[in-house]
Amino acid sequence: MATTKLPAQADDFPAWYVEVVRRAELAEHGPAKGSMIIRPHGYAIWEHTQRALDDRFKATGHENVYFPLLIPMSLLDKEADHVEGFAPQVAVVTRGGGEELEEPLAIRPTSESIIWSTYKRWIQSYRDLPLLYNQWANVLRWEMRTRLFLRTSEFLWQEGHTAHASADEATAEALQMLEVYRQVAEDVLAIPVHQGRKSAGERFPGAVETYCIEGLMRDAKALQCGTSHFLGQNFAKAYDVTFLNADGELEHAWATSWGFSTRMVGATIMAHGDDAGLRLPPAVAPVQTVIVPIYRSDQERATVLGVAEHLRADLAERGIRVRLDDRDQHRPGFKFAEWELKGVPIRIELGPRDVEGGKAVLATRSDGSKHESPLDGLASGMADRLASVQAGLFADALAYREANTHEIESFESFATGVEERGGFWVGAWCGEAACEAEISTRTKATIRFLPLEVRDPVAACVHCGKPGTEVATWARAY
Ligand SMILES: [Zn+2]
């Protein structure tokens, strides 16, 4: 456990991240390069995130399905942009049962191909539409440079795949799911995000439009937090998915897909953590409050643990995720540091004198504050305290983002600023891919998003000076 301090975020953010993931027992590298073992404290954060998403998927009319991990190569090869985009990252199984396979099998990097080849059989008439399906799955995309949660070859996610009778309906669906992602990022993970469109160069392979939510981490680097794609009729054409419309005419179906992954566990670590470790939003904290009993003699132990257990049961009954840390082998100071590292939002310290006075000491992880609270009413007030911690973390992250968002005044100030300070940089862009690529080469920043609705910047492109056609937000990103 934590015997030495974590690296300071300001000194070496990547080292801080590696250490906090390891010491807070969130995850570790698996034996195969690029793979990840998710430990209980990390997996529980994902489970709470999953539930928040799944409840919202169901509330918006979606159902869960499951498609196979292995995809015949001939299926994957049908949508040209899609296969070109994913080809370098696809792992292929060529042997099975001790023999060469007749047809190699791809391990899914995403499931559009297998799902749309199946939709061909499920969609005949406009009455079959829409199909509003989602699957929870693992996918594999070969990665050379990996970082736990943020970029690993195999990761967990959900992928929604819907089919519609019209372009408008599919676009509305893609935007609806982007809004669901915004809600989960902001209301559950307490990470403020921008909603926007990707530039053509940053689009999902095979998409007509890629919508995204983008967050800013505490090292002033951006992170793509979720994407929702309007796929047009590209996949329906590639997999020959047609339906008879209400006028009896044959049409190709319109598609969306949308994904949110375990990368967001990494985002939660990086958007809120500090030099003492994690600061977890209560909505996803595996332990929301921990009771640490303080005692010296056996008699004190009996008295304090009696009251502590009563308090634990009371909190649990109210639906609070509570732990009573009654481990005898560790001193209270050690336990305080461990739960701080693990990001538990509220710690309850309970000693013999507190018990005598009918009170406890509450330490709030997010702002480091400590104060006494009467035992009477402590459990019933806990949900409100946690809600205020949740709101405080969001406010902190929002203030950080505002402080790190800049208008581009000149290309030079942008290039220097993004190098020295990171952050979001907003300015006019001509809309040309070549100019975008040049800016990226010179600044190592990419367009994180364009506004959902095209907005005239009424200014010249910050780089080439041609008339601006889009307002682009740039950043260096994970
Ligand atoms: Zn330009």
Side-chain angles (χ1 to χ4, degrees), residues 428-432 434-436 439 460-468:
W429 171 50
C430 58
E432 287 176 19
C435 180
E436 178 186 10
I439 298 175
C461 174
V462 298
H463 182 246
C464 68
K466 286 181 194 162

Side-chain angles (χ1 to χ4, degrees), residues 95 114 187 223 293 372 415 455:
R95 287 184 66 82
I114 191 158
D187 304 344
L223 184 83
E372 288 187 345
R455 211 163 64 222

Side-chain angles (χ1 to χ4, degrees), residues 166-219:
S166 75
D168 284 352
E169 198 187 298
T171 296
E173 163 76 8
L175 289 170
Q176 170 184 254
M177 301 327 285
L178 189 73
E179 168 59 16
V180 164
Y181 287 171
R182 185 202 64 75
Q183 287 172 14
V184 171
E186 297 197 334
D187 304 344
V188 179
L189 302 176
I191 302 171
V193 290
H194 288 293
Q195 290 176 292
R197 277 173 301 134
K198 286 290 183 189
S199 65
E202 300 277 331
R203 254 178 226 149
F204 176 76
V208 174
E209 196 80 85
T210 287
Y211 303 104
C212 62
I213 52 170
E214 290 281 329
L216 195 66
M217 305 296 105
R218 277 163 73 99
D219 59 351

Side-chain angles (χ1 to χ4, degrees), residues 184-372:
V184 171
E186 297 197 334
D187 304 344
V188 179
L189 302 176
I191 302 171
V193 290
H194 288 293
Q195 290 176 292
R197 277 173 301 134
K198 286 290 183 189
S199 65
E202 300 277 331
R203 254 178 226 149
F204 176 76
V208 174
E209 196 80 85
T210 287
Y211 303 104
C212 62
I213 52 170
E214 290 281 329
L216 195 66
M217 305 296 105
R218 277 163 73 99
D219 59 351
K221 277 174 83 172
L223 184 83
Q224 179 175 293
C225 292
T227 49
S228 181
H229 316 288
F230 168 58
L231 302 170
Q233 294 173 307
N234 292 345
F235 286 87
K237 285 178 178 162
Y239 295 93
D240 192 27
V241 182
T242 55
F243 68 97
L244 279 176
N245 67 21
D247 301 324
E249 294 157 346
L250 209 55
E251 269 191 64
H252 284 104
W254 299 83
T256 80
S257 67
W258 24 278
F260 196 105
S261 76
T262 37
R263 147 174 270 220
M264 290 308 288
V265 177
T268 306
I269 299 166
M270 292 196 301
H272 303 303
D274 65 15
D275 286 349
L278 304 174
R279 295 193 308 162
L280 291 178
V284 293
V287 179
Q288 294 171 314
T289 182
V290 61
I291 307 168
V292 179
I294 302 164
Y295 49 82
R296 287 206 175 82
S297 65
D298 284 352
Q299 198 197 336
E300 281 180 357
R301 182 177 186 277
T303 311
V304 170
L305 279 182
V307 175
E309 172 49 32
H310 185 76
L311 179 60
R312 188 205 62 76
D314 195 359
L315 285 161
E317 207 160 280
R318 293 167 193 275
I320 306 291
R321 296 191 288 273
V322 55
R323 176 87 58 90
L324 169 56
D325 187 354
D326 57 1
R327 292 175 298 172
D328 272 330
Q329 72 271 33
H330 295 305
R331 299 186 57 80
F334 176 94
K335 294 178 181 177
F336 293 174
E338 178 175 338
W339 294 115
E340 270 173 25
L341 171 68
K342 289 194 164 182
V344 173
I346 293 176
R347 180 176 75 234
I348 304 170
E349 304 171 9
L350 194 65
R353 237 175 263 165
D354 299 314
V355 169
E356 217 168 278
K359 59 188 177 53
V361 173
L362 264 57
T364 305
R365 175 66 181 90
S366 53
D367 62 8
S369 67
K370 253 188 168 192
H371 67 272
E372 288 187 345

